[in-house]
Amino acid sequence: MSRNPDWPEGVARHVLASVDSTLTEAARRAPHLAGPAWILAHEQTAARGRRGRAWSMPKGNFAATLVMRPTERPEQVALRSFVAALALDDAFAAASGRPQSFALKWPNDVLLNGGKVAGILLESAGQGGAVSHLAIGIGINLVAAPGADQVEPGALRPVSLLSETGAMVTPEEFLDLLAPAYAAREAQFRTYGFEPIRTAWLARAARLGERIVARTTSESHEGTFETVDAAGNLVLNTAQGRRAIPAAEVFF
Ligand SMILES: O=C(O)CCCC[C@@H]1SC[C@@H]2NC(=O)N[C@@H]21
């Protein structure tokens, strides 16, 4: 357990020099968990991003997974991507002292000065409407960002916390901010449900009220970003009417 006095009670902290992926490590450890655990790695040899993409991880960047065994139904469990994004935003505000520089991009990226500084990937396992474990994988460009040529066409430019703000933060220092921030948002979610999380997320949302494009594997929808609904769907006002989109990649 950490010596940080703000570290949340009952939450384990594991720091690894190297691992294939903290998400894979989380799945290996999940059956033996006594409670929630953060797994931080200084190197990942097979890190993955959303939509089957690889995640590049230069040394000094942050890679961690929070693994837990939630008791709610899968739809509720999935809303933790918003809980995690808000906690990340809270931790970035504390680390940089510049809360206004950050914004949240649906479904769960964090932007800094308009570029992508962090991404979140949720993975879970379970059967018959029960989730046996949830792993929230978080990657942050603390000191270095991949080149614009390493991301797909139309994607936002990757940026790092260091290059945009001058803040030099180690992965352990960031985890010491993120774990308490996550615990506070998790408590809010458990006590009051999704509504205050949704409201806080919308207050930090990038391009709310503006025209955006949401691409699914088979379709592309262009419209005005109206809101995120109570199920976490992206709600767009399109020429064909109002659409609630559960999963997509968003382009500005
Ligand atoms: O595509 C994204 O934006 C999500 C990136 C998630 C990367 C993190 S790094 C820690 C964890 N381990 C992984 O293999 N991926 C996630």
Side-chain angles (χ1 to χ4, degrees):
M1 210 65 77
S2 164
R3 269 166 279 152
N4 171 4
D6 296 328
W7 188 266
E9 219 179 303
V11 177
R13 183 185 197 268
H14 305 286
V15 177
L16 311 176
S18 180
V19 73
D20 45 3
S21 154
T22 57
L23 280 164
T24 309
E25 181 65 16
R28 284 191 287 261
R29 291 182 185 226
H32 320 289
L33 284 183
W38 280 97
I39 303 164
L40 175 83
H42 287 288
E43 180 189 63
Q44 293 184 113
T45 54
R48 50 185 179 268
R50 293 176 60 235
R51 302 190 160 253
R53 291 185 292 251
W55 179 258
S56 114
M57 192 192 154
K59 209 148 186 65
N61 277 0
F62 179 97
T65 291
L66 172 63
V67 56
M68 62 178 86
R69 304 184 71 171
T71 50
E72 305 95 348
R73 296 194 56 77
E75 315 82 73
Q76 279 292 112
V77 170
L79 294 174
R80 283 196 173 76
S81 71
F82 296 92
V83 178
L86 267 181
L88 254 182
D89 188 60
D90 296 338
F92 273 125
S96 68
R98 301 184 192 193
Q100 298 312 324
S101 304
F102 296 87
L104 301 176
K105 175 173 178 268
W106 188 92
N108 44 25
D109 287 339
V110 183
L111 310 186
L112 167 55
N113 297 336
K116 175 166 169 167
V117 69
I120 302 172
L121 175 59
L122 259 65
E123 293 184 351
S124 60
Q127 266 189 337
V131 177
S132 59
H133 85 262
L134 169 70
I136 305 173
I138 298 174
I140 305 173
N141 301 327
L142 283 181
V143 297
D149 53 328
Q150 281 178 264
V151 297
E152 67 185 296
L156 293 177
R157 79 190 160 102
V159 296
S160 76
L161 184 68
L162 179 62
S163 65
E164 296 294 311
T165 70
M168 177 62 124
V169 184
T170 68
E172 274 108 334
E173 286 166 347
F174 199 89
L175 183 61
D176 279 342
L177 295 172
L178 180 58
Y182 184 87
R185 291 291 182 183
E186 171 75 24
Q188 186 183 28
F189 180 59
R190 284 184 187 223
T191 309
Y192 303 107
F194 183 50
E195 193 48 32
I197 298 290
R198 189 180 80 88
T199 305
W201 192 96
L202 284 169
R204 316 289 300 134
R207 306 291 174 113
L208 191 64
E210 296 181 32
R211 288 195 81 73
I212 62 172
V213 175
R215 281 191 206 132
T216 68
T217 40
S218 54
E219 288 176 306
S220 183
H221 304 283
E222 184 175 349
T224 306
F225 177 12
E226 195 180 283
T227 192
V228 167
D229 69 16
N233 297 312
L234 175 76
V235 179
L236 284 190
N237 256 327
T238 74
Q240 292 75 39
R242 201 166 181 262
R243 302 220 173 220
I245 301 166
E249 195 71 9
V250 164
F251 294 87
F252 294 158

